[in-house]
């Protein structure tokens, strides 16, 4: 549903740019309004019963307390080896996987006009939405590891080839590929995490995985932003090269599995 919103929103933006000649600052102001309405509507949502809230507060991802930063680091140190094995290449990928805004900025600067970037973003979201479920099914009957690797390598193809695109048609094709790549990665990476930790640790592992990934993405934005001012083609190509390297690492690594001791612990 959130991806559907990411398609409808940009379509509305194109209408505003094309027919009303609005600028980006004006679009941001307009976009702020539904966001404010959404936040306001949350105050009308009833909380669960007091008893349910108390149970929720007592419930932990690992079984006792909510994860703090120290607890997250402690879990990472003592987590199953299989979890650490899959985390390494994914974090390498995330450390250089910068914001989509850099891709859209490149499209805007090379092909001109806000409408080009918005169109590319719509294509990306449509591709992601249409391919997420089929790729999830493929992962169910094949291997989570290889579907994750496929997603990462397709993201790498996007970043590597975009600087060499010579027409907007090529850009659209690359954004389709990018959507498929992100669908493959997003729809299977967390499922892969849940398959390599004991059932009672899934929440803890998910929290550590998401937190580490978020910090890595923050670093990626800083690195790419710095390199962008030096050479934007190099900034994109570096991300693409790291993504392909990470994909090869994932594809060639031994399938991470829980030991019998870890399953029983």
């Amino acid at each position: 549903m959130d991806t559907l919103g990411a398609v409808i929103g940009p379509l509305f933006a194109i209408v505003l740019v094309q027919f009303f000649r609005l600028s980006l600052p004006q679009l941001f102001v307009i976009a702020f309004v539904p966001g404010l309405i959404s936040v306001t509507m949350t105050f009308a949502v009833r909380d669960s019963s007091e008893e349910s809230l108390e149970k929720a507060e007592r419930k932990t991802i690992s079984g006792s307390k909510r994860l703090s930063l120290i607890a997250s680091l402690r879990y990472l140190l003592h987590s199953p080896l299989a979890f650490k094995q899959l985390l390494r290449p994914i974090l390498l990928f995330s450390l250089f996987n910068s914001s989509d805004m850099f891709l859209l900025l490149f499209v805007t600067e090379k092909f001109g006009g806000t409408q080009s970037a918005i169109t590319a973003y719509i294509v990306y979201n449509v591709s992601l939405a249409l391919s997420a479920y089929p790729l999830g099914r493929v992962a169910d009957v094949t291997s989570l590891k290889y579907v994750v690797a496929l997603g990462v390598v397709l993201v790498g193809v996007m970043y590597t080839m975009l600087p060499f695109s010579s027409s907007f048609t090529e850009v659209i094709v690359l954004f389709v590929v990018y959507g498929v790549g992100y669908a493959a990665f997003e729809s299977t990476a967390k499922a892969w995490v849940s398959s390599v930790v004991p059932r009672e640790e899934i929440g803890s592992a998910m929290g550590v995985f998401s937190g580490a990934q978020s910090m890595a993405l923050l670093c990626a934005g800083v690195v790419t932003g710095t390199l962008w001012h030096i050479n934007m083609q190099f900034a994109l190509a570096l991300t693409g090269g790291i993504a392909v390297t990470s994909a090869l690492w994932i594809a060639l690594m031994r399938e991470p599995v829980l030991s019998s001791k870890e399953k029983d612990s």
Side-chain angles (χ1 to χ4, degrees), residues 53-251:
L53 286 174
E54 289 177 353
K55 287 182 179 179
E57 289 176 357
R58 289 196 300 268
K59 184 179 179 181
T60 77
I61 295 180
S62 61
S64 60
K65 295 181 180 179
R66 291 182 177 182
L67 284 177
S68 63
L69 178 59
I70 295 177
S72 298
L73 293 174
R74 186 181 298 118
Y75 175 78
L76 183 59
L77 289 173
H78 299 286
S79 60
L81 178 61
F83 175 69
K84 296 173 185 173
Q85 288 176 331
L86 74 84
L87 190 61
R88 291 165 190 156
I90 290 178
L91 282 186
L92 174 63
F93 166 61
S94 298
L95 275 170
F96 291 87
N97 181 30
S98 57
S99 169
D100 296 338
M101 291 302 104
F102 287 106
L103 297 175
L104 299 177
L105 179 60
F106 181 85
V107 172
T108 301
E109 292 185 359
K110 187 169 183 177
F111 295 96
T114 305
Q115 187 172 337
S116 298
I118 295 175
T119 301
Y121 188 62
I122 291 172
V123 169
Y124 157 71
N125 279 290
V126 170
S127 174
L128 192 159
L130 293 179
S131 55
Y133 178 75
L135 286 166
R137 292 291 298 165
V138 170
D140 287 339
V141 298
T142 56
S143 167
L144 291 168
K145 181 184 79 167
Y146 289 119
V147 176
V148 170
L150 172 65
V152 175
V153 78
L154 289 180
V155 171
V157 168
M158 166 58 159
Y159 275 91
T160 303
M161 298 303 297
L162 185 62
F164 300 100
S165 57
S166 57
S167 69
F168 191 64
T169 300
E170 293 176 3
V171 169
I172 292 300
V173 171
L174 286 172
F175 270 88
V176 171
V177 171
Y178 187 50
V180 174
Y182 244 98
F185 178 74
E186 291 289 342
S187 63
T188 54
K190 290 182 179 180
W192 194 22
V193 169
S194 67
S195 70
V196 298
V197 295
R199 184 174 181 179
E200 64 274 12
E201 295 182 13
I202 289 178
S204 298
M206 289 293 187
V208 171
F209 175 78
S210 297
Q213 199 176 21
S214 296
M215 288 188 285
L217 291 173
L218 178 62
C219 294
V222 174
V223 171
T224 305
T226 302
L227 293 175
W228 192 270
H229 293 290
I230 301 172
N231 188 303
M232 60 183 180
Q233 285 87 355
F234 174 73
L236 294 177
L238 177 63
T239 299
I242 295 296
V244 172
T245 301
S246 302
L248 289 173
W249 185 353
I250 293 169

Side-chain angles (χ1 to χ4, degrees), residues 38-46:
S38 299
V39 172
T40 304
M41 290 174 64
T42 61
F43 292 103
V45 178
R46 290 186 175 182

